Amino acid sequence: MLQEIAEQPKALARTIQAERTKISRLGVFLKQREIDLIVLVARGSSDNAALFGRYLLEITTGIPVSLSAPSVHTLYGAKLNLRHALVVGVSQSGAGEDINQVLENARACGAYTVGITNEPSSAMVSYVDETLLMHGGRERSVAATKTFTGQMMLFYMLAAELAESRPVWTYDAIPDFAARALEQQPAILELVQRYVFMENCVVVGRGLAYANAYELALKLMETCYVVAERFSSADFLHGPVAMVERHFPVILFAPPGVMLPGVKSLIKRLRELRADTLAITSDLEAAGDCSRAIVMPKEIDEFVAPIPYIIPAQLFAALLADAKGLDPDQPRSLSKVTRTL
Amino acid sequence: MLQEIAEQPKALARTIQAERTKISRLGVFLKQREIDLIVLVARGSSDNAALFGRYLLEITTGIPVSLSAPSVHTLYGAKLNLRHALVVGVSQSGAGEDINQVLENARACGAYTVGITNEPSSAMVSYVDETLLMHGGRERSVAATKTFTGQMMLFYMLAAELAESRPVWTYDAIPDFAARALEQQPAILELVQRYVFMENCVVVGRGLAYANAYELALKLMETCYVVAERFSSADFLHGPVAMVERHFPVILFAPPGVMLPGVKSLIKRLRELRADTLAITSDLEAAGDCSRAIVMPKEIDEFVAPIPYIIPAQLFAALLADAKGLDPDQPRSLSKVTRTL
């Protein structure tokens, strides 16, 4: 897992280079088709990448996005009206039968289908009109890292092509920012000692960083066996905040941008409740208000933050698992491909 | 909270009676408008009702449904193409500024907007083209119960009117089934003693019962301060199952229907892992494979199960809070109306 985390800057750069022409062509084609709905379908870490894609695509393109409920297709056999929809399946292995059934059903319902996968010869490829590939090589750890950020990168590339006008962001600097994020490893190695006996926690993120909260929580569940909840800073206040008592651990993604004031006011509220807080942030006030912080480079702005900000979180989970005497590459009860319907 | 839980059968019957004509008229109007997308927007318990609505509406009407990400509208200021969309805001109080901002923005983007609320004179009413009301009277407990099932009932009524052909289900028997579910109270009063020291748990549901898992988890978080995760039985196997060790508590909604075989095979897997399982089910095999069970009447089928099956879960949370010496009507750190953007 640590090795694959470290491979991400190069993997991201290779994905940009290898897929740029194809996605540019796909963008032209989809604009002619007048797509008025995008449906994303995935499970596990890939579903977290899709959650990121949902925010980025809606904000950038103005096309409404829905995260698919696979059982509507696979168990209830619904026939949705998808004649003007783009349906994107996301799966590291391309082998998930449920995702592939949704893609097959969506195509039968009139959708144009795209697959995002790491396996060019997987079953998924036969169910989609176009395939977008990550180019970071085989992922051997059960806990997905480089394929997660690879999927996010493909969403950046797709959103840029589907935007009506030039987006306010570009993704080209992301591989370099990912490399900068990796420099946190020695600090995180020390930091995790403090969390060895943490049994449960809440992870908070919002907007473009909301999916990061889901992904860190999943990594903590699968590699560290921590009962990790995940919320947006707004949803957290609608009920779950009642759980918080003195020393309750809350980890917060607080990158710059429009959601930062809300996350900072949540941090202040958590401080009053005497929660134990850890922020991943470049904002020194947010960092100062937390029990601990992982301080990120200032140059990483809101729109490019999601990939570099998940990297210290991946390191945190991998190094915490190791500090707990667990093997993050072989979590109990899991295998690399999970078969569900 | 216990009193409001008990009021549900009558409240549901009143809502059916009071709103039937209006919703029937709305259905005729929306069919003429050729709606091709439904967007639901809510927070907290109302968001869990919307999650139920999402499954029911897609399965019944074939119109794709998206659960809105409010920050896309309120913080990122996105202008989505919603010209053929129906946007439904769900809020007990009708006072949530974020939900109302999304409704206002959606109307500016061309959507037809509907509000589902308990407060006919709330701000929400001014942002929507049509208002659907729950008729169960004022909700005084901070933890929503009768407004949650009231919102679900309005989704049944809306789905029935938007269906292309007559749906395979009818909702008329639901108030009676809700009354039957209340008969579980003495059994649950005894059962909760066993869970007084439970600190965390996972709640599982799927398909039409998926929202029930979210709602029970939220009730456990806000009234019992239990760190309660919520997953579909499929998502649970994609990583989080690694958390499960001997005695780890898992609560499962296992009503009859297409998702039952998957939930039952998860129960068997959890038994091998020696988890501590509690099923809410009418299936005697599922009940027998679990550590404990709340056994529901056999006549409650898949499509009407979500309302009667949440009632023992509400009772479980309220009675467990009481057994722990907590006041479920006044959870710490919460008030009835939560203001977020």
Side-chain angles (χ1 to χ4, degrees), chain A residues 206 228-230 242 332 341, chain B residues 206 228-230 242 332 341:
Chain A
R206 200 168 178 205
E229 298 263 10
R230 57 278 185 249
R332 64 188 178 199
L341 267 191
Chain B
R206 200 168 178 206
E229 299 262 9
R230 57 279 185 245
R332 65 186 179 202
L341 267 191

Side-chain angles (χ1 to χ4, degrees), chain A residues 218-238:
Chain A
L218 181 57
K219 289 288 155 287
L220 288 171
M221 289 188 267
E222 59 186 2
T223 66
C224 302
Y225 313 149
V226 170
V227 181
E229 298 263 10
R230 57 278 185 249
F231 297 104
S232 85
S233 48
D235 289 324
F236 188 48
L237 294 170
H238 283 260

Side-chain angles (χ1 to χ4, degrees), chain B residues 273-293:
Chain B
L273 296 170
R274 299 191 169 200
D276 193 287
T277 47
L278 166 62
I280 303 175
T281 189
S282 62
D283 185 278
L284 297 182
E285 191 191 6
D289 279 344
C290 283
S291 315
R292 293 291 184 280

Side-chain angles (χ1 to χ4, degrees), chain A residues 49-304:
Chain A
L51 181 59
F52 163 72
R54 183 257 163 85
Y55 280 83
L56 187 73
L57 284 164
E58 276 200 342
I59 293 166
T60 309
T61 72
I63 304 169
V65 180
S66 169
L67 293 167
S68 170
S71 69
V72 168
H73 302 257
T74 60
L75 297 180
Y76 294 100
K79 297 291 168 208
L80 302 189
N81 173 4
L82 297 172
R83 281 191 299 276
H84 299 284
L86 164 65
V87 177
V88 183
V90 191
S91 168
Q92 182 277 133
S93 68
E97 284 166 45
D98 43 3
I99 307 307
N100 289 338
Q101 269 195 31
V102 177
L103 289 168
E104 189 179 19
N105 189 34
R107 194 141 76 163
C109 294
Y112 185 84
T113 55
V114 168
I116 290 182
T117 180
N118 202 32
E119 296 294 339
S121 56
S122 63
M124 177 184 264
V125 176
S126 65
Y127 292 107
V128 291
D129 297 306
E130 182 64 274
T131 305
L132 307 179
L133 294 169
M134 286 89 84
H135 293 266
R138 193 77 182 270
E139 189 168 63
R140 282 145 300 154
S141 176
V142 169
T145 54
K146 65 180 176 179
T147 57
F148 174 71
T149 52
Q151 291 161 350
M152 292 170 92
M153 180 53 79
L154 290 167
F155 278 118
Y156 275 108
M157 299 173 74
L158 190 60
E161 295 300 334
L162 292 180
E164 288 214 354
S165 53
R166 201 187 178 77
V168 295
W169 48 266
T170 58
Y171 52 76
D172 298 282
I174 291 177
D176 285 340
F177 288 140
R180 294 280 303 279
L182 284 169
E183 294 167 9
Q184 300 282 351
Q185 185 162 343
I188 295 169
L189 182 61
E190 276 187 46
L191 181 71
V192 294
Q193 290 302 324
R194 187 167 183 277
Y195 298 87
V196 164
F197 295 102
M198 178 174 74
E199 292 191 349
N200 48 47
C201 71
V202 162
V203 189
V204 169
R206 200 168 178 205
L208 290 164
Y210 184 42
N212 282 14
Y214 270 67
E215 180 61 7
L216 173 55
L218 181 57
K219 289 288 155 287
L220 288 171
M221 289 188 267
E222 59 186 2
T223 66
C224 302
Y225 313 149
V226 170
V227 181
E229 298 263 10
R230 57 278 185 249
F231 297 104
S232 85
S233 48
D235 289 324
F236 188 48
L237 294 170
H238 283 260
V241 71
M243 292 185 297
V244 173
E245 57 195 335
R246 192 183 164 90
H247 296 316
F248 189 94
V250 182
I251 306 176
L252 305 102
F253 287 92
V258 293
M259 83 291 272
L260 183 60
V263 177
K264 284 172 77 171
S265 73
L266 174 60
I267 288 171
K268 288 192 193 299
R269 174 101 182 261
L270 291 170
R271 196 177 168 159
E272 288 163 18
L273 296 169
R274 298 191 170 200
D276 193 288
T277 46
L278 166 62
I280 303 175
T281 189
S282 63
D283 184 277
L284 297 182
E285 191 191 7
D289 279 343
C290 284
S291 315
R292 294 289 185 280
I294 297 171
V295 179
M296 300 291 288
K298 273 252 174 269
E299 311 86 274
I300 300 177
D301 78 16
E302 158 167 39
F303 278 93
V304 297

Side-chain angles (χ1 to χ4, degrees), chain B residues 134-148:
Chain B
M134 285 89 84
H135 293 265
R138 192 80 181 271
E139 189 169 64
R140 283 146 299 154
S141 175
V142 169
T145 54
K146 65 180 177 180
T147 57
F148 175 71

